Amino acid sequence: QRFTMHKAIVILAIFGAATADLSCDDCTMLGNSVSAAASTDEAIQGQLDLITDAVCATAEDLEACLEALPDFWTAIAKLFWDPVIGWFSPSAYLCIDVCAMKSFVSTPSCQDCSNRLYYSISNMALPDFQDAVLSSYLEGDFCSQNYEDQVEGCKEGLKVVLPIAMSVLAESGDMWIDNFCTNDIGCM
């Protein structure tokens, strides 16, 4: 069974911050690069550093949360940042509008790169997007594949972790986007 993000997330691409200066190839490179960067062990640890206090503040058992969250978030993050179906997927979400226009520019401007990523990440804070992502995890086989002996506990954990983590990550753009666009994408 293929895990897919809820169709509502397509709104992200349809109403995206498209500009004539960002080509399909540029956007695809951007999406693949940020997906790869966000799913490294170092990046996932950075995400945990950002979300742990907010997530575990809601837990009945703080110690259990602190112990379980790293493995739980790592499993979530591997799918959440997947370059084919994840948040920054060029073909599924991030670049649908740009690739439909098929503009051609050699290198994206830093403004286009930053605008696209800020717009995308800011949508993580929107309840409709959070609900769509949560539904995709709950209705997919994430819990049965990763926590086959604790499927219900996994589902309850997702209901707590995903909305909080997405809200916290939505506010993290100033920590990485401009640097990523300049150093990893080589924008102009």
Side-chain angles (χ1 to χ4, degrees), residues 65 109 125 152 186:
C65 180
S109 73
E152 289 308 310

Side-chain angles (χ1 to χ4, degrees), residues 54-185:
V55 169
C56 290
T58 67
E60 290 179 22
D61 184 343
L62 177 63
E63 292 304 315
C65 180
L66 292 172
E67 183 178 323
L69 186 59
D71 288 340
F72 193 51
W73 179 253
T74 298
I76 291 169
K78 294 295 183 182
L79 192 55
F80 192 79
W81 306 121
D82 182 271
V84 177
I85 60 170
W87 189 263
F88 293 114
S89 168
S91 62
Y93 308 107
L94 188 66
C95 304
I96 290 175
D97 58 332
V98 175
C99 291
M101 292 187 317
K102 294 286 186 189
S103 60
F104 297 96
V105 174
S106 61
T107 303
S109 73
C110 291
Q111 188 67 42
D112 288 338
C113 178
S114 293
N115 285 349
R116 173 108 354 208
L117 292 178
Y118 274 111
Y119 180 78
S120 179
I121 202 168
S122 70
N123 281 304
M124 286 185 197
L126 300 176
D128 288 345
F129 286 95
Q130 291 177 358
D131 291 345
V133 170
L134 179 59
S135 292
S136 294
Y137 275 85
L138 294 174
E139 294 166 9
D141 57 5
F142 174 81
C143 288
S144 63
Q145 283 188 349
N146 292 285
Y147 299 94
E148 63 184 50
D149 295 336
Q150 301 172 345
V151 172
E152 289 308 310
C154 171
K155 288 181 177 185
E156 291 305 310
L158 286 170
K159 291 175 187 175
V160 173
V161 172
L162 270 173
I164 294 171
M166 289 177 72
S167 293
V168 171
L169 293 172
E171 300 296 322
S172 73
D174 288 341
M175 299 172 69
W176 64 274
I177 288 178
D178 291 337
N179 186 53
F180 179 83
C181 288
T182 303
N183 297 326
D184 292 88
I185 300 301

Side-chain angles (χ1 to χ4, degrees), residues 9 30 33 58 129:
I9 295 180
L30 175 63
S33 295
T58 67
F129 286 95

Side-chain angles (χ1 to χ4, degrees), residues 44-65:
I44 291 171
Q45 182 57 54
Q47 295 156 24
L48 279 164
D49 292 345
L50 288 173
I51 70 170
T52 297
D53 288 345
V55 169
C56 290
T58 67
E60 290 179 22
D61 184 343
L62 177 63
E63 292 304 315
C65 180

